[in-house]
Amino acid sequence: MCGIIGILGKNDVAPSILAGLKRLEYRGYDSAGVATVMTGQLDRRRAPGKLSALEAVMEERPLGGPTGIGHTRWATHGAPTKTNAHPHATERVSVVHNGIIENFAELRQELIDNGAVFESETDAEVCPQLITHYLETQNCAPAEAFHNAIKRMRGAFAFAAIFSGEDDLMICARKGSPLAIGHGDGEMYLGSDAYALAPFTNRITYLDEGDWAVIRRAGVDIFDNGGKKVLRPETISSASAGIVEKDGHRHFMAKEIHEQPEVVAHTISRYVDPVSKTIKLPDGAFDFAALDRLTISACGTAFYAGQISKYWFERWAKLPVEVDIASELRYRDVPYTPNGGALFISQSGETADTLAALRDAKSYGQKIAAVINVPESSIARESDIIFPIAAGPEVGVASTKAFTCQLVALACIAIAAGRARGILTLQDEIEIVGALLETPRKLSEALKASGSIEKIAHDIAKAEDILYIGRGVSYPLAMEGALKLKEISYIHAEGYAAGELKHGPIALIDENLPVVVIAPLDAHFEKTVSNMQELMARGGKALLMSCKKGLQQAGDGIWTSIEIPETDNMLAPIVYAVPIQLLAYFTATTKGTDVDQPRNLAKSVTVE
Ligand code: F6R
């Protein structure tokens, strides 16, 4: 993770670097730093904590110079202290780094044996030390020293370096972590993504895997892994320069939860012809009739979206689907077939685990598709087909609107697969699409329960552990509910298949353990309610989420309930996601945790 920015400017660049870092804070926010070259001298400012801490430091001790790099960190090696904050530097070079250097321990020892003195516990510091070693002991020029250094490092990383005595030079490398070079008018930029560079330029060149580049104000020379000069295309980025605002909400997460009726409608409009009520997929999508197997993979919330879609692909398309978390997929001998397809789901499009799983599936000849929110991301660029969602920028670390939009796109793909495979009739398609078209309105209705959910959250906030249960499509949603709650309120929560409670977790039940029961009035309703009765008979506190009729039929003795609009049974997770998200949100606000930037997390997880 971590965000990198670099500028070769005309005036002092530190204020612009800070502005760029603000747009990269989603990648990590436990410490930050900026380094510049001013009249040949390297200098830097660093601070632990959020970017605001660095801003305060720089207000007191401003940093001049027209050449600079900046970094916002998500700690991997070493605690988030000032000493471990980037840029790391020697007198000769200052470096920012994103990713992990796997062989840092042996390199560090080798450098120490040669007289280097390290100040931090990070893996990143070997980079400036190694470059300095080549500059000083072998008299290399900066580019040669940089290239020699990256050749020695194993792992997945992106680097940017500036050098003392070099006002018109920045060198960078990409191996596993994305980097975008921005072209200005007599100025050049570097960023972890095009979004960070949007206030400065929309003319972007993306580095390919293994590329490294020497940037000067007049332009950039790019080299591949072997040191051969290569040309990479300049593209026009559509990333917006506007800063995303909270629009009157207390947190981005609240804003993003409330945006769902609108963004879900936008996503539906990308896939649905509202007149014929049929699905139109992007050109070049899978040949579903010929497909014999679909492998779906993703991480976290996106993985749960994939798990829900498995029920849809199996019901509507009778397509064999397997879903696995991306960080595990590669460690299995997945029996990929020549007519198989692989579908990856990612909001950011930069998740390292998902990207690695994608490359693995590609190496087995699978056609690769991605459900993606950021169309210029690495995952989008490496896929054969993109299924975009229209969630817009998601700033809150906890994924909310991207999840419901992913579900919409996945439902549309599954319906199209069902038609192509002759399982769904045109009439079936029209009916399911009709139900899908109602979801934005149902989401608006579901949001009206905010007030009552906030009250329930006051009690939930007192709990130390919480269970979520559901059956069928509600089972992955139970896991998503538990994830949402734990990541922003820090309350331990687990999601279970309702039928699984009696096989172990029921031993946990007592009057202090609330159980959130997700029970739309579907074919599984009665069985789920029986599971709820089993836990209530043992003193458990049940919070039932169902529609009005469901709540009436569920019987007495329920601790509390949340009424959800009646929905289509298969599409229920799209609507039930709202109370799940609001419950987590209000529990976190009651506890006073940092909702948008919860501890230890980052929005874009670019390390494996
Ligand atoms: C949870 C959350 C994470 C992400 C996961 C994948 O609220 O946001 O679990 O869903 O890190 O991220 P993307 O979708 O960007 O690949």
Side-chain angles (χ1 to χ4, degrees), residues 143 146-147 150 159-161 163 169-174 179 181 188 190 205 207 210-216 219-224 230 232:
F146 184 91
H147 190 218
I150 53 170
F159 285 111
F163 298 81
L169 180 67
M170 180 160 55
I171 309 185
C172 65
R174 173 200 169 142
L179 269 186
I181 293 170
M188 290 295 285
L190 178 71
T205 298
L207 293 186
D211 284 354
W212 61 285
V214 177
I215 310 172
R216 298 187 192 274
V220 56
D221 289 325
I222 303 177
F223 305 89
D224 69 11
V230 285
R232 304 287 178 221

PDB file of all heavy atoms in Angstrom, residues 143 146-147 150 159-161 163 169-174 179 181 188 190 205 207 210-216 219-224 230 232:
ATOM      1  N   ALA A 143      21.476   7.087 -12.339  1.00  0.00           N
ATOM      2  CA  ALA A 143      20.599   6.109 -12.994  1.00  0.00           C
ATOM      3  C   ALA A 143      21.186   4.697 -12.899  1.00  0.00           C
ATOM      4  O   ALA A 143      20.474   3.727 -12.644  1.00  0.00           O
ATOM      5  CB  ALA A 143      20.386   6.488 -14.458  1.00  0.00           C
ATOM      6  N   PHE A 146      20.863   3.438  -9.319  1.00  0.00           N
ATOM      7  CA  PHE A 146      19.462   3.079  -9.042  1.00  0.00           C
ATOM      8  C   PHE A 146      19.152   1.720  -9.669  1.00  0.00           C
ATOM      9  O   PHE A 146      18.585   0.836  -9.030  1.00  0.00           O
ATOM     10  CB  PHE A 146      18.545   4.162  -9.617  1.00  0.00           C
ATOM     11  CG  PHE A 146      17.087   3.947  -9.322  1.00  0.00           C
ATOM     12  CD1 PHE A 146      16.499   4.483  -8.183  1.00  0.00           C
ATOM     13  CD2 PHE A 146      16.281   3.219 -10.190  1.00  0.00           C
ATOM     14  CE1 PHE A 146      15.150   4.291  -7.909  1.00  0.00           C
ATOM     15  CE2 PHE A 146      14.936   3.019  -9.929  1.00  0.00           C
ATOM     16  CZ  PHE A 146      14.371   3.560  -8.790  1.00  0.00           C
ATOM     17  N   HIS A 147      19.539   1.555 -10.931  1.00  0.00           N
ATOM     18  CA  HIS A 147      19.231   0.302 -11.619  1.00  0.00           C
ATOM     19  C   HIS A 147      19.948  -0.869 -10.962  1.00  0.00           C
ATOM     20  O   HIS A 147      19.371  -1.936 -10.761  1.00  0.00           O
ATOM     21  CB  HIS A 147      19.601   0.414 -13.108  1.00  0.00           C
ATOM     22  CG  HIS A 147      19.097  -0.732 -13.914  1.00  0.00           C
ATOM     23  ND1 HIS A 147      19.807  -1.293 -14.947  1.00  0.00           N
ATOM     24  CD2 HIS A 147      17.965  -1.467 -13.813  1.00  0.00           C
ATOM     25  CE1 HIS A 147      19.117  -2.309 -15.446  1.00  0.00           C
ATOM     26  NE2 HIS A 147      17.996  -2.424 -14.791  1.00  0.00           N
ATOM     27  N   ILE A 150      17.934  -1.724  -7.778  1.00  0.00           N
ATOM     28  CA  ILE A 150      16.657  -2.452  -7.913  1.00  0.00           C
ATOM     29  C   ILE A 150      16.877  -3.883  -8.410  1.00  0.00           C
ATOM     30  O   ILE A 150      16.102  -4.766  -8.094  1.00  0.00           O
ATOM     31  CB  ILE A 150      15.602  -1.724  -8.790  1.00  0.00           C
ATOM     32  CG1 ILE A 150      16.153  -1.343 -10.152  1.00  0.00           C
ATOM     33  CG2 ILE A 150      15.000  -0.540  -8.089  1.00  0.00           C
ATOM     34  CD1 ILE A 150      15.074  -0.850 -11.109  1.00  0.00           C
ATOM     35  N   PHE A 159       9.287   2.444  -6.371  1.00  0.00           N
ATOM     36  CA  PHE A 159      10.227   3.370  -5.730  1.00  0.00           C
ATOM     37  C   PHE A 159      10.248   4.695  -6.470  1.00  0.00           C
ATOM     38  O   PHE A 159      10.052   4.722  -7.686  1.00  0.00           O
ATOM     39  CB  PHE A 159      11.672   2.861  -5.847  1.00  0.00           C
ATOM     40  CG  PHE A 159      12.003   1.745  -4.943  1.00  0.00           C
ATOM     41  CD1 PHE A 159      12.243   0.484  -5.453  1.00  0.00           C
ATOM     42  CD2 PHE A 159      12.089   1.955  -3.582  1.00  0.00           C
ATOM     43  CE1 PHE A 159      12.566  -0.559  -4.623  1.00  0.00           C
ATOM     44  CE2 PHE A 159      12.414   0.911  -2.744  1.00  0.00           C
ATOM     45  CZ  PHE A 159      12.645  -0.348  -3.265  1.00  0.00           C
ATOM     46  N   ALA A 160      10.573   5.757  -5.754  1.00  0.00           N
ATOM     47  CA  ALA A 160      10.954   7.007  -6.416  1.00  0.00           C
ATOM     48  C   ALA A 160      12.128   7.576  -5.638  1.00  0.00           C
ATOM     49  O   ALA A 160      12.166   7.498  -4.401  1.00  0.00           O
ATOM     50  CB  ALA A 160       9.803   7.991  -6.420  1.00  0.00           C
ATOM     51  N   ALA A 161      13.091   8.134  -6.360  1.00  0.00           N
ATOM     52  CA  ALA A 161      14.291   8.647  -5.702  1.00  0.00           C
ATOM     53  C   ALA A 161      14.669  10.009  -6.275  1.00  0.00           C
ATOM     54  O   ALA A 161      14.495  10.263  -7.470  1.00  0.00           O
ATOM     55  CB  ALA A 161      15.451   7.666  -5.919  1.00  0.00           C
ATOM     56  N   PHE A 163      18.054  12.970  -5.860  1.00  0.00           N
ATOM     57  CA  PHE A 163      19.488  12.901  -5.543  1.00  0.00           C
ATOM     58  C   PHE A 163      20.043  14.265  -5.182  1.00  0.00           C
ATOM     59  O   PHE A 163      19.630  15.282  -5.779  1.00  0.00           O
ATOM     60  CB  PHE A 163      20.249  12.358  -6.765  1.00  0.00           C
ATOM     61  CG  PHE A 163      19.834  10.957  -7.140  1.00  0.00           C
ATOM     62  CD1 PHE A 163      18.677  10.724  -7.890  1.00  0.00           C
ATOM     63  CD2 PHE A 163      20.588   9.861  -6.736  1.00  0.00           C
ATOM     64  CE1 PHE A 163      18.299   9.439  -8.225  1.00  0.00           C
ATOM     65  CE2 PHE A 163      20.211   8.560  -7.079  1.00  0.00           C
ATOM     66  CZ  PHE A 163      19.064   8.356  -7.818  1.00  0.00           C
ATOM     67  N   LEU A 169      16.149  15.829 -11.695  1.00  0.00           N
ATOM     68  CA  LEU A 169      16.197  14.367 -11.830  1.00  0.00           C
ATOM     69  C   LEU A 169      15.329  13.678 -10.784  1.00  0.00           C
ATOM     70  O   LEU A 169      15.381  14.006  -9.590  1.00  0.00           O
ATOM     71  CB  LEU A 169      17.645  13.882 -11.664  1.00  0.00           C
ATOM     72  CG  LEU A 169      17.854  12.367 -11.771  1.00  0.00           C
ATOM     73  CD1 LEU A 169      17.579  11.869 -13.183  1.00  0.00           C
ATOM     74  CD2 LEU A 169      19.301  12.001 -11.364  1.00  0.00           C
ATOM     75  N   MET A 170      14.540  12.749 -11.270  1.00  0.00           N
ATOM     76  CA  MET A 170      13.790  11.846 -10.372  1.00  0.00           C
ATOM     77  C   MET A 170      13.808  10.486 -11.073  1.00  0.00           C
ATOM     78  O   MET A 170      13.594  10.405 -12.285  1.00  0.00           O
ATOM     79  CB  MET A 170      12.360  12.355 -10.213  1.00  0.00           C
ATOM     80  CG  MET A 170      11.490  11.517  -9.306  1.00  0.00           C
ATOM     81  SD  MET A 170      10.047  12.458  -8.718  1.00  0.00           S
ATOM     82  CE  MET A 170       9.315  12.999 -10.231  1.00  0.00           C
ATOM     83  N   ILE A 171      14.110   9.434 -10.326  1.00  0.00           N
ATOM     84  CA  ILE A 171      14.147   8.101 -10.932  1.00  0.00           C
ATOM     85  C   ILE A 171      13.147   7.219 -10.198  1.00  0.00           C
ATOM     86  O   ILE A 171      13.003   7.316  -8.961  1.00  0.00           O
ATOM     87  CB  ILE A 171      15.561   7.490 -10.879  1.00  0.00           C
ATOM     88  CG1 ILE A 171      16.579   8.490 -11.445  1.00  0.00           C
ATOM     89  CG2 ILE A 171      15.619   6.190 -11.668  1.00  0.00           C
ATOM     90  CD1 ILE A 171      17.993   7.950 -11.559  1.00  0.00           C
ATOM     91  N   CYS A 172      12.434   6.394 -10.943  1.00  0.00           N
ATOM     92  CA  CYS A 172      11.409   5.571 -10.308  1.00  0.00           C
ATOM     93  C   CYS A 172      11.419   4.170 -10.918  1.00  0.00           C
ATOM     94  O   CYS A 172      11.973   3.959 -11.998  1.00  0.00           O
ATOM     95  CB  CYS A 172      10.040   6.213 -10.464  1.00  0.00           C
ATOM     96  SG  CYS A 172       9.512   6.304 -12.160  1.00  0.00           S
ATOM     97  N   ALA A 173      10.791   3.234 -10.217  1.00  0.00           N
ATOM     98  CA  ALA A 173      10.714   1.863 -10.729  1.00  0.00           C
ATOM     99  C   ALA A 173       9.411   1.230 -10.286  1.00  0.00           C
ATOM    100  O   ALA A 173       8.908   1.512  -9.196  1.00  0.00           O
ATOM    101  CB  ALA A 173      11.886   1.043 -10.183  1.00  0.00           C
ATOM    102  N   ARG A 174       8.887   0.376 -11.142  1.00  0.00           N
ATOM    103  CA  ARG A 174       7.662  -0.349 -10.823  1.00  0.00           C
ATOM    104  C   ARG A 174       7.892  -1.853 -10.944  1.00  0.00           C
ATOM    105  O   ARG A 174       8.264  -2.350 -11.994  1.00  0.00           O
ATOM    106  CB  ARG A 174       6.554   0.044 -11.793  1.00  0.00           C
ATOM    107  CG  ARG A 174       5.329  -0.820 -11.584  1.00  0.00           C
ATOM    108  CD  ARG A 174       4.367  -0.866 -12.717  1.00  0.00           C
ATOM    109  NE  ARG A 174       3.442  -1.944 -12.404  1.00  0.00           N
ATOM    110  CZ  ARG A 174       2.150  -1.933 -12.637  1.00  0.00           C
ATOM    111  NH1 ARG A 174       1.599  -0.934 -13.249  1.00  0.00           N
ATOM    112  NH2 ARG A 174       1.401  -2.951 -12.279  1.00  0.00           N
ATOM    113  N   LEU A 179       2.599   2.614 -10.778  1.00  0.00           N
ATOM    114  CA  LEU A 179       3.151   3.968 -10.820  1.00  0.00           C
ATOM    115  C   LEU A 179       2.684   4.635 -12.113  1.00  0.00           C
ATOM    116  O   LEU A 179       2.699   4.019 -13.178  1.00  0.00           O
ATOM    117  CB  LEU A 179       4.679   3.941 -10.839  1.00  0.00           C
ATOM    118  CG  LEU A 179       5.428   3.987  -9.517  1.00  0.00           C
ATOM    119  CD1 LEU A 179       6.926   4.107  -9.781  1.00  0.00           C
ATOM    120  CD2 LEU A 179       4.970   5.108  -8.594  1.00  0.00           C
ATOM    121  N   ILE A 181       3.200   8.159 -14.498  1.00  0.00           N
ATOM    122  CA  ILE A 181       4.012   9.359 -14.740  1.00  0.00           C
ATOM    123  C   ILE A 181       3.112  10.396 -15.389  1.00  0.00           C
ATOM    124  O   ILE A 181       2.386  10.092 -16.346  1.00  0.00           O
ATOM    125  CB  ILE A 181       5.205   9.023 -15.653  1.00  0.00           C
ATOM    126  CG1 ILE A 181       6.155   8.084 -14.900  1.00  0.00           C
ATOM    127  CG2 ILE A 181       5.940  10.285 -16.091  1.00  0.00           C
ATOM    128  CD1 ILE A 181       7.247   7.496 -15.759  1.00  0.00           C
ATOM    129  N   MET A 188       7.124  17.732 -14.558  1.00  0.00           N
ATOM    130  CA  MET A 188       6.812  16.294 -14.646  1.00  0.00           C
ATOM    131  C   MET A 188       6.357  15.809 -13.266  1.00  0.00           C
ATOM    132  O   MET A 188       6.773  16.357 -12.236  1.00  0.00           O
ATOM    133  CB  MET A 188       8.039  15.502 -15.098  1.00  0.00           C
ATOM    134  CG  MET A 188       8.439  15.722 -16.543  1.00  0.00           C
ATOM    135  SD  MET A 188       7.226  15.140 -17.756  1.00  0.00           S
ATOM    136  CE  MET A 188       7.487  13.375 -17.683  1.00  0.00           C
ATOM    137  N   LEU A 190       4.893  12.285 -10.765  1.00  0.00           N
ATOM    138  CA  LEU A 190       4.889  10.844 -10.556  1.00  0.00           C
ATOM    139  C   LEU A 190       3.886  10.555  -9.445  1.00  0.00           C
ATOM    140  O   LEU A 190       3.838  11.292  -8.445  1.00  0.00           O
ATOM    141  CB  LEU A 190       6.294  10.410 -10.113  1.00  0.00           C
ATOM    142  CG  LEU A 190       6.464   8.935  -9.803  1.00  0.00           C
ATOM    143  CD1 LEU A 190       6.412   8.135 -11.097  1.00  0.00           C
ATOM    144  CD2 LEU A 190       7.814   8.701  -9.118  1.00  0.00           C
ATOM    145  N   THR A 205       1.377   8.477 -18.390  1.00  0.00           N
ATOM    146  CA  THR A 205       2.018   7.268 -18.933  1.00  0.00           C
ATOM    147  C   THR A 205       2.136   6.263 -17.784  1.00  0.00           C
ATOM    148  O   THR A 205       2.704   6.593 -16.731  1.00  0.00           O
ATOM    149  CB  THR A 205       3.431   7.578 -19.460  1.00  0.00           C
ATOM    150  OG1 THR A 205       3.307   8.521 -20.527  1.00  0.00           O
ATOM    151  CG2 THR A 205       4.119   6.322 -19.983  1.00  0.00           C
ATOM    152  N   LEU A 207       3.672   2.948 -16.138  1.00  0.00           N
ATOM    153  CA  LEU A 207       4.815   2.043 -16.283  1.00  0.00           C
ATOM    154  C   LEU A 207       4.305   0.615 -16.318  1.00  0.00           C
ATOM    155  O   LEU A 207       3.362   0.263 -15.615  1.00  0.00           O
ATOM    156  CB  LEU A 207       5.785   2.205 -15.110  1.00  0.00           C
ATOM    157  CG  LEU A 207       6.535   3.537 -15.011  1.00  0.00           C
ATOM    158  CD1 LEU A 207       7.554   3.469 -13.877  1.00  0.00           C
ATOM    159  CD2 LEU A 207       7.224   3.871 -16.325  1.00  0.00           C
ATOM    160  N   GLY A 210       8.086  -4.153 -14.154  1.00  0.00           N
ATOM    161  CA  GLY A 210       9.535  -4.260 -14.344  1.00  0.00           C
ATOM    162  C   GLY A 210      10.170  -3.006 -14.930  1.00  0.00           C
ATOM    163  O   GLY A 210      11.393  -2.914 -15.008  1.00  0.00           O
ATOM    164  N   ASP A 211       9.352  -2.027 -15.345  1.00  0.00           N
ATOM    165  CA  ASP A 211       9.911  -0.799 -15.925  1.00  0.00           C
ATOM    166  C   ASP A 211      10.573   0.067 -14.861  1.00  0.00           C
ATOM    167  O   ASP A 211      10.170   0.071 -13.696  1.00  0.00           O
ATOM    168  CB  ASP A 211       8.796   0.058 -16.553  1.00  0.00           C
ATOM    169  CG  ASP A 211       8.315  -0.477 -17.882  1.00  0.00           C
ATOM    170  OD1 ASP A 211       8.904  -1.451 -18.381  1.00  0.00           O
ATOM    171  OD2 ASP A 211       7.328   0.089 -18.417  1.00  0.00           O
ATOM    172  N   TRP A 212      11.552   0.820 -15.303  1.00  0.00           N
ATOM    173  CA  TRP A 212      12.076   1.894 -14.456  1.00  0.00           C
ATOM    174  C   TRP A 212      12.285   3.110 -15.341  1.00  0.00           C
ATOM    175  O   TRP A 212      12.382   2.978 -16.570  1.00  0.00           O
ATOM    176  CB  TRP A 212      13.332   1.477 -13.688  1.00  0.00           C
ATOM    177  CG  TRP A 212      14.492   1.077 -14.529  1.00  0.00           C
ATOM    178  CD1 TRP A 212      14.639  -0.073 -15.208  1.00  0.00           C
ATOM    179  CD2 TRP A 212      15.677   1.843 -14.763  1.00  0.00           C
ATOM    180  NE1 TRP A 212      15.836  -0.100 -15.865  1.00  0.00           N
ATOM    181  CE2 TRP A 212      16.503   1.059 -15.604  1.00  0.00           C
ATOM    182  CE3 TRP A 212      16.130   3.082 -14.331  1.00  0.00           C
ATOM    183  CZ2 TRP A 212      17.751   1.496 -16.031  1.00  0.00           C
ATOM    184  CZ3 TRP A 212      17.367   3.518 -14.755  1.00  0.00           C
ATOM    185  CH2 TRP A 212      18.174   2.731 -15.600  1.00  0.00           C
ATOM    186  N   ALA A 213      12.277   4.304 -14.758  1.00  0.00           N
ATOM    187  CA  ALA A 213      12.246   5.503 -15.602  1.00  0.00           C
ATOM    188  C   ALA A 213      13.091   6.612 -15.022  1.00  0.00           C
ATOM    189  O   ALA A 213      13.177   6.784 -13.798  1.00  0.00           O
ATOM    190  CB  ALA A 213      10.808   5.982 -15.747  1.00  0.00           C
ATOM    191  N   VAL A 214      13.734   7.347 -15.919  1.00  0.00           N
ATOM    192  CA  VAL A 214      14.527   8.526 -15.538  1.00  0.00           C
ATOM    193  C   VAL A 214      13.731   9.739 -16.001  1.00  0.00           C
ATOM    194  O   VAL A 214      13.489   9.928 -17.193  1.00  0.00           O
ATOM    195  CB  VAL A 214      15.909   8.482 -16.226  1.00  0.00           C
ATOM    196  CG1 VAL A 214      16.710   9.734 -15.886  1.00  0.00           C
ATOM    197  CG2 VAL A 214      16.663   7.219 -15.807  1.00  0.00           C
ATOM    198  N   ILE A 215      13.304  10.541 -15.028  1.00  0.00           N
ATOM    199  CA  ILE A 215      12.415  11.659 -15.348  1.00  0.00           C
ATOM    200  C   ILE A 215      13.178  12.972 -15.184  1.00  0.00           C
ATOM    201  O   ILE A 215      13.846  13.197 -14.162  1.00  0.00           O
ATOM    202  CB  ILE A 215      11.177  11.653 -14.416  1.00  0.00           C
ATOM    203  CG1 ILE A 215      10.526  10.268 -14.392  1.00  0.00           C
ATOM    204  CG2 ILE A 215      10.156  12.701 -14.861  1.00  0.00           C
ATOM    205  CD1 ILE A 215       9.413  10.125 -13.359  1.00  0.00           C
ATOM    206  N   ARG A 216      13.072  13.811 -16.221  1.00  0.00           N
ATOM    207  CA  ARG A 216      13.585  15.187 -16.133  1.00  0.00           C
ATOM    208  C   ARG A 216      12.467  16.106 -16.602  1.00  0.00           C
ATOM    209  O   ARG A 216      11.485  15.637 -17.185  1.00  0.00           O
ATOM    210  CB  ARG A 216      14.824  15.358 -17.011  1.00  0.00           C
ATOM    211  CG  ARG A 216      15.983  14.449 -16.580  1.00  0.00           C
ATOM    212  CD  ARG A 216      17.261  14.750 -17.365  1.00  0.00           C
ATOM    213  NE  ARG A 216      18.247  13.705 -17.132  1.00  0.00           N
ATOM    214  CZ  ARG A 216      19.102  13.685 -16.107  1.00  0.00           C
ATOM    215  NH1 ARG A 216      19.090  14.670 -15.221  1.00  0.00           N
ATOM    216  NH2 ARG A 216      19.972  12.708 -15.968  1.00  0.00           N
ATOM    217  N   GLY A 219      11.176  15.626 -20.047  1.00  0.00           N
ATOM    218  CA  GLY A 219      10.526  14.382 -20.469  1.00  0.00           C
ATOM    219  C   GLY A 219      11.026  13.184 -19.697  1.00  0.00           C
ATOM    220  O   GLY A 219      11.744  13.329 -18.697  1.00  0.00           O
ATOM    221  N   VAL A 220      10.665  12.006 -20.191  1.00  0.00           N
ATOM    222  CA  VAL A 220      10.985  10.795 -19.441  1.00  0.00           C
ATOM    223  C   VAL A 220      11.597   9.734 -20.368  1.00  0.00           C
ATOM    224  O   VAL A 220      11.176   9.585 -21.512  1.00  0.00           O
ATOM    225  CB  VAL A 220       9.719  10.246 -18.733  1.00  0.00           C
ATOM    226  CG1 VAL A 220       8.575   9.989 -19.699  1.00  0.00           C
ATOM    227  CG2 VAL A 220      10.016   8.957 -17.962  1.00  0.00           C
ATOM    228  N   ASP A 221      12.600   9.034 -19.872  1.00  0.00           N
ATOM    229  CA  ASP A 221      13.141   7.864 -20.565  1.00  0.00           C
ATOM    230  C   ASP A 221      12.753   6.634 -19.755  1.00  0.00           C
ATOM    231  O   ASP A 221      13.058   6.553 -18.555  1.00  0.00           O
ATOM    232  CB  ASP A 221      14.675   7.937 -20.644  1.00  0.00           C
ATOM    233  CG  ASP A 221      15.117   9.016 -21.622  1.00  0.00           C
ATOM    234  OD1 ASP A 221      14.420   9.207 -22.644  1.00  0.00           O
ATOM    235  OD2 ASP A 221      16.141   9.676 -21.350  1.00  0.00           O
ATOM    236  N   ILE A 222      12.088   5.692 -20.440  1.00  0.00           N
ATOM    237  CA  ILE A 222      11.626   4.496 -19.727  1.00  0.00           C
ATOM    238  C   ILE A 222      12.431   3.287 -20.203  1.00  0.00           C
ATOM    239  O   ILE A 222      12.694   3.142 -21.397  1.00  0.00           O
ATOM    240  CB  ILE A 222      10.116   4.267 -19.975  1.00  0.00           C
ATOM    241  CG1 ILE A 222       9.335   5.513 -19.540  1.00  0.00           C
ATOM    242  CG2 ILE A 222       9.614   3.040 -19.221  1.00  0.00           C
ATOM    243  CD1 ILE A 222       7.840   5.447 -19.796  1.00  0.00           C
ATOM    244  N   PHE A 223      12.800   2.442 -19.263  1.00  0.00           N
ATOM    245  CA  PHE A 223      13.592   1.242 -19.562  1.00  0.00           C
ATOM    246  C   PHE A 223      12.860   0.021 -19.033  1.00  0.00           C
ATOM    247  O   PHE A 223      12.192   0.097 -18.001  1.00  0.00           O
ATOM    248  CB  PHE A 223      14.970   1.338 -18.886  1.00  0.00           C
ATOM    249  CG  PHE A 223      15.716   2.584 -19.265  1.00  0.00           C
ATOM    250  CD1 PHE A 223      15.561   3.754 -18.527  1.00  0.00           C
ATOM    251  CD2 PHE A 223      16.550   2.599 -20.381  1.00  0.00           C
ATOM    252  CE1 PHE A 223      16.233   4.915 -18.883  1.00  0.00           C
ATOM    253  CE2 PHE A 223      17.223   3.753 -20.740  1.00  0.00           C
ATOM    254  CZ  PHE A 223      17.069   4.920 -19.992  1.00  0.00           C
ATOM    255  N   ASP A 224      13.005  -1.094 -19.743  1.00  0.00           N
ATOM    256  CA  ASP A 224      12.384  -2.309 -19.221  1.00  0.00           C
ATOM    257  C   ASP A 224      13.342  -2.989 -18.249  1.00  0.00           C
ATOM    258  O   ASP A 224      14.449  -2.503 -17.981  1.00  0.00           O
ATOM    259  CB  ASP A 224      11.898  -3.226 -20.357  1.00  0.00           C
ATOM    260  CG  ASP A 224      13.063  -3.831 -21.142  1.00  0.00           C
ATOM    261  OD1 ASP A 224      14.224  -3.722 -20.689  1.00  0.00           O
ATOM    262  OD2 ASP A 224      12.803  -4.410 -22.212  1.00  0.00           O
ATOM    263  N   VAL A 230      12.384   1.719 -23.733  1.00  0.00           N
ATOM    264  CA  VAL A 230      11.090   1.326 -24.317  1.00  0.00           C
ATOM    265  C   VAL A 230      10.170   2.540 -24.383  1.00  0.00           C
ATOM    266  O   VAL A 230      10.375   3.536 -23.669  1.00  0.00           O
ATOM    267  CB  VAL A 230      10.386   0.224 -23.470  1.00  0.00           C
ATOM    268  CG1 VAL A 230      11.039  -1.119 -23.667  1.00  0.00           C
ATOM    269  CG2 VAL A 230      10.353   0.603 -21.989  1.00  0.00           C
ATOM    270  N   ARG A 232       6.305   3.761 -23.813  1.00  0.00           N
ATOM    271  CA  ARG A 232       4.995   3.424 -23.251  1.00  0.00           C
ATOM    272  C   ARG A 232       4.042   4.547 -23.641  1.00  0.00           C
ATOM    273  O   ARG A 232       4.414   5.730 -23.588  1.00  0.00           O
ATOM    274  CB  ARG A 232       5.048   3.305 -21.725  1.00  0.00           C
ATOM    275  CG  ARG A 232       6.066   2.300 -21.204  1.00  0.00           C
ATOM    276  CD  ARG A 232       5.629   0.875 -21.447  1.00  0.00           C
ATOM    277  NE  ARG A 232       6.634  -0.084 -20.977  1.00  0.00           N
ATOM    278  CZ  ARG A 232       6.971  -1.170 -21.640  1.00  0.00           C
ATOM    279  NH1 ARG A 232       6.417  -1.451 -22.822  1.00  0.00           N
ATOM    280  NH2 ARG A 232       7.862  -1.996 -21.151  1.00  0.00           N
TER     281      ARG A 232
END
